[in-house]
Amino acid sequence: MSVRNEKLITIPNIITLLNLVSGLVSIFLTALGNLPLAYLLILLAATFDAFDGLIARKIGQESNIGRQLDSLADIVAFGAGPAVLILKQASLNPLYLIPASFFIACGALRLARFNLYGTREFFEGLPIPAAAIFAASMVIYFPVEITGWIYFLIGYLMISSVIYPSIKTSYGRNSIIISMIIGFILLLFLATISSELISDSFVKLEALGVFLAMILFYLAFSYALISPIIFYKTRGKAYYRNVRLQNVSK
């Protein structure tokens, strides 16, 4: 079927649009100053993003339109959403337009690169949903003086050549599980002292948002910085090179 004949309204595309709308609502809630709820909407968007492709494959409705729509939704929910969060956290301080702009620009580049030669075997660069959860958790859990610098790191990881495991492969799942276990260990050891890093303005936030931010920060940290090392050790450099060559030649 040609792209022109593909259906616009399909179940997977509707789920992708829910991802997009969740990102828009997150930005709206950020503008209202409700950062914990805005954070939860980013998590909801990530949930929709995880299921749209899975359902498309299950019911045989994968399409080129769906793949393009997914990237457009992602740049709103996982690019603009966290960028607006840090600006609001910084009380719209123009200086924080720099890390916010860097983050969303790197997210757009990451999505464009994936659309051209991405593979299901692994991810080249930190996937933007994981980057968004990492960044948004920082906003809820840490003061803005720390968050701004970390946004630069997360943005760089998105456009880097660092290889990240994919849950779509068995060896990728194994690397992710090990990194998540390490994340939980970090959580248990550091949660008691990390509360000192919470800024005074965030002490009274809704309990659910802060609780999830605390947990997901350590998990996202482990995925972003530890899982590539584990994945590299289990697969080897030659494996990545071969998959890249095969994908580029398609």
Side-chain angles (χ1 to χ4, degrees):
M1 182 184 295
S2 67
V3 175
R4 186 174 294 275
N5 293 328
E6 288 182 352
K7 293 182 179 180
L8 282 176
I9 308 302
T10 64
I11 293 175
N13 286 355
I14 290 173
I15 296 174
T16 302
L17 290 173
L18 290 174
N19 169 12
L20 173 68
V21 173
S22 296
L24 177 62
V25 175
S26 174
I27 294 171
F28 176 72
L29 291 170
T30 299
L32 293 179
N34 195 335
L35 301 194
L37 194 54
Y39 173 74
L40 293 178
L41 264 293
I42 290 177
L43 298 184
L44 181 61
T47 302
F48 288 130
D49 184 65
F51 280 100
D52 57 2
L54 176 63
I55 292 176
R57 290 187 291 273
K58 289 291 185 182
I59 65 177
Q61 289 190 341
E62 290 183 283
S63 66
N64 291 306
I65 289 178
R67 282 187 283 272
Q68 299 303 318
L69 182 63
D70 185 73
S71 292
L72 293 172
D74 284 355
I75 196 60
V76 174
F78 309 130
V84 175
L85 266 179
I86 191 175
L87 290 173
K88 189 65 175 180
Q89 185 195 24
S91 301
L92 302 182
N93 184 336
L95 182 64
Y96 284 87
L97 279 169
I98 301 174
S101 299
F102 184 78
F103 180 89
I104 192 172
C106 290
L109 290 170
R110 169 67 177 77
L111 290 167
R113 180 173 64 182
F114 180 79
N115 285 349
L116 284 177
Y117 56 88
T119 172
R120 293 182 181 178
E121 298 292 323
F122 57 79
F123 297 114
E124 184 176 2
L126 182 64
I128 192 171
I133 292 174
F134 193 2
S137 298
M138 288 290 303
V139 169
I140 300 298
Y141 197 44
F142 289 95
V144 70
E145 292 79 10
I146 296 177
T147 306
W149 291 108
I150 299 300
Y151 265 54
F152 285 112
L153 171 62
I154 299 173
Y156 168 75
L157 289 175
M158 283 194 283
I159 61 173
S160 72
S161 296
V162 176
I163 301 301
Y164 287 88
S166 169
I167 199 171
K168 297 173 184 176
T169 62
S170 59
Y171 40 84
R173 286 192 293 271
N174 291 337
S175 299
I176 293 172
I177 290 172
I178 294 173
S179 67
M180 293 301 99
I181 291 174
I182 295 174
F184 273 114
I185 293 174
L186 288 173
L187 174 62
L188 292 175
F189 275 98
L190 300 177
T192 55
I193 62 173
S194 62
S195 60
E196 298 175 1
L197 296 175
I198 302 177
S199 62
D200 293 338
S201 60
F202 286 93
V203 171
K204 296 182 180 180
L205 291 180
E206 297 172 16
L208 179 60
V210 175
F211 177 72
L212 289 176
M214 179 180 67
I215 295 176
L216 292 176
F217 165 75
Y218 288 106
L219 297 183
F221 173 88
S222 296
Y223 180 76
L225 300 179
I226 298 175
S227 70
I229 299 173
I230 298 172
F231 196 46
Y232 180 85
K233 293 294 184 181
T234 58
R235 302 308 295 174
K237 187 175 182 179
Y239 168 78
Y240 306 136
R241 183 166 55 248
N242 291 337
V243 173
R244 279 202 191 96
L245 290 174
Q246 293 172 9
N247 200 55
V248 170
S249 64
K250 292 180 180 178

